[in-house]
Amino acid sequence: MSGTFISSGSLQEFPLWKSMELKRIPFLFELEITARCNLDCRHCYINLPATERTAVNRELSLDEIRGIVDEAVSLGALWCLVTGGEPILRDDFLEIYLYLKRKGLLVTVFTNATLVSKEHIGVFKRFPPRDIEVSVYGVSKETYERITRWPGSFAEFQRGLGLLLESGLNVRLKAMIMRSNVHEQREIGEFCRQRTRDFFRFDPFLHLRYDRNPVRNREILLERLTPQEIVSLEKSDRERFQALKEKGHKTVRLEHSSMEEGKLFPCGAGKASYSISCDGMFRLCSSLWHPDCLYNLREGGLTYAWRHFVPRVRAMRSEREEYLRSCNRCDLIDLCMWCPAYAYLETGHLDAPVEYFCEVAHARAQAIGMVETSNKLAEH
């Protein structure tokens, strides 16, 4: 018998994923089971108070979640990302988690670790998740609690993370880098790399609120780093900066021919994945909150959303002249944070350029040696 076998490799690199994407089989879905959180982080784009009754009442019930999961599996789902808010905050979190496992799904859980208990560890060890990603906001009490605004949260973070690490589960660590913790960036990186098994990632891009709350958005803007600071951080991480250089030089579109005129969604959103909010709103990706891009699963089925609603959204085009002569034709779009979802959160429009994103793209281009292209684009 002859054949080809994969002896090792990450799931992200598994060739099956690409094949399923090409066939538009939705193998991955993000299930946001609550927008509530026990923390009140300065930079958070979604969190609502842990005990807010209105938020609790809007959440999908356990039975509703089971129905959605059943339909997701029937469509081809293999992998589910469980997120929030803080997903462990829900009293029925373990029931949701076990249902996903019983359906044969790979499961990733995003958590801040502060609510992790021995009961959670017992279930996780018996029915292991694919991985658990934990956010690290600081490695000192002062920094961590400045961001979370919850006295005692650093001690609870240390306790919960300790339980996860001692259990032998596959734990991955990540960090949002912002004004309040950038002075600990090096220490955060060292802390994470010493404890995570395969990779540590940091993100300096703070997204605005899904509910577009103006007060909370002002806080997020104050926490954002300058484009120059972002590039400096990326240059300090050798692997990240090398990947950025390869991406920039490989994907530059000098003839502007890769992106169809006016097309808003040339990305992979809705090709093999989708996102479901805590109140049952279907989106092509978790950040896409424009009213025209939402489908209420409480009024229609997941199958209809995938087969009919997604193609309509992906076919959306812009006639805005500013977009057509800038983002739609930009040589640096692959070095940029811009996408329709973020554009809407920043400006209220899917097709509006965002000056901050442009500044980041130009700073990156100059840092990786694409100065000529960057300067030529700036002339437009």
Side-chain angles (χ1 to χ4, degrees):
M1 180 182 293
S2 62
T4 301
F5 298 89
I6 296 177
S7 59
S8 64
S10 72
L11 280 173
Q12 289 88 344
E13 297 170 348
F14 196 41
L16 176 63
W17 302 153
K18 190 63 179 178
S19 173
M20 295 178 80
E21 180 178 313
L22 292 173
K23 296 178 181 178
R24 272 204 80 237
I25 298 174
F27 69 86
L28 168 64
F29 69 104
E30 180 176 315
L31 183 61
E32 170 198 299
I33 61 176
T34 183
R36 296 176 293 124
C37 188
N38 58 313
L39 306 182
D40 187 26
C41 295
R42 296 173 177 274
H43 67 287
C44 189
Y45 46 76
I46 188 173
N47 64 315
L48 296 174
T51 58
E52 185 178 295
R53 288 314 310 172
T54 303
V56 173
N57 293 335
R58 284 175 40 227
E59 290 172 2
L60 292 166
S61 68
L62 178 59
D63 283 343
E64 286 178 314
I65 289 173
R66 285 171 174 159
I68 289 171
V69 171
D70 289 348
E71 200 167 358
V73 171
S74 72
L75 285 170
L78 299 175
W79 194 344
C80 177
L81 163 60
V82 181
T83 184
E86 172 49 53
I88 294 179
L89 189 65
R90 277 189 62 144
D91 293 337
D92 57 0
F93 166 77
L94 286 178
E95 292 179 85
I96 295 169
Y97 176 80
L98 287 172
Y99 192 76
L100 293 167
K101 293 296 293 181
R102 291 189 189 106
K103 298 298 290 188
L105 291 164
L106 297 167
V107 181
T108 292
V109 179
F110 281 5
T111 179
N112 59 40
T114 61
L115 299 178
V116 171
S117 68
K118 290 183 179 179
E119 182 183 9
H120 294 118
I121 297 298
V123 172
F124 288 152
K125 289 186 72 172
R126 188 176 179 188
F127 305 99
R130 160 61 188 167
D131 47 33
I132 299 176
E133 285 204 10
V134 178
S135 299
V136 180
Y137 301 124
V139 292
S140 69
K141 179 178 184 294
E142 180 181 8
T143 297
Y144 191 94
E145 295 184 5
R146 170 175 168 75
I147 291 172
T148 64
R149 295 187 281 208
W150 179 32
S153 59
F154 185 59
E156 290 303 301
F157 159 72
Q158 291 179 302
R159 179 199 58 77
L161 179 60
L163 287 174
L164 289 169
L165 294 174
E166 291 165 9
S167 71
L169 294 165
N170 188 21
V171 178
R172 291 176 165 179
L173 302 181
K174 58 186 177 182
M176 299 299 301
I177 304 298
M178 65 197 86
R179 186 68 51 208
S180 288
N181 68 5
V182 67
H183 63 285
E184 282 190 3
Q185 181 263 335
R186 186 181 300 276
E187 290 81 4
I188 291 172
E190 292 174 355
F191 176 92
C192 293
R193 290 188 178 95
Q194 289 171 4
R195 292 165 176 81
T196 197
R197 290 191 172 187
D198 51 1
F199 81 108
F200 153 65
R201 62 184 175 91
F202 70 87
D203 191 349
F205 297 136
L206 305 185
H207 309 138
L208 295 186
R209 296 275 301 189
Y210 292 167
D211 59 12
R212 310 194 71 224
N213 182 308
V215 175
R216 297 304 299 263
N217 274 346
R218 281 195 290 272
E219 288 185 327
I220 294 172
L221 291 173
L222 289 173
E223 289 290 342
R224 276 184 175 172
L225 303 180
T226 67
Q228 291 71 32
E229 288 172 317
I230 288 174
V231 169
S232 179
L233 276 176
E234 292 176 328
K235 289 177 72 174
S236 70
D237 187 307
R238 183 178 302 176
E239 290 184 9
R240 183 184 180 115
F241 190 63
Q242 182 59 35
L244 184 67
K245 289 175 69 175
E246 292 174 0
K247 180 179 181 181
H249 288 294
K250 180 179 179 180
T251 60
V252 62
R253 294 194 290 263
L254 294 175
E255 300 301 325
H256 312 293
S257 59
S258 300
M259 193 163 169
E260 295 179 40
E261 185 77 7
K263 190 174 179 64
L264 283 173
F265 294 95
C267 61
K271 286 188 174 181
S273 62
Y274 53 87
S275 182
I276 300 169
S277 72
C278 62
D279 56 354
M281 301 306 292
F282 174 97
R283 298 103 77 205
L284 276 66
C285 75
S286 62
S287 300
L288 187 56
W289 281 96
H290 189 281
D292 293 344
C293 302
L294 302 177
Y295 183 82
N296 191 345
L297 293 179
R298 282 173 161 156
E299 298 178 358
L302 182 61
T303 300
Y304 179 88
W306 181 255
R307 292 179 178 170
H308 302 284
F309 181 72
V310 170
R312 289 207 301 268
V313 174
R314 285 193 56 84
M316 293 174 68
R317 294 179 176 271
S318 170
E319 296 181 356
R320 182 190 293 265
E321 182 61 31
E322 186 181 16
Y323 168 75
L324 296 176
R325 61 181 170 81
S326 58
C327 302
N328 188 233
R329 297 175 55 81
C330 182
D331 289 339
L332 305 182
I333 195 70
D334 293 301
L335 297 177
C336 185
M337 297 164 57
W338 191 92
C339 76
Y342 296 152
Y344 172 69
L345 297 178
E346 297 277 336
T347 70
H349 302 281
L350 289 168
D351 55 358
V354 180
E355 183 178 358
Y356 176 68
F357 296 174
C358 290
E359 292 173 354
V360 171
H362 284 286
R364 282 174 149 186
Q366 292 184 337
I368 66 175
M370 295 172 60
V371 179
E372 183 179 347
T373 302
S374 177
N375 290 339
K376 183 167 63 175
L377 183 63
E379 295 174 1
H380 293 288

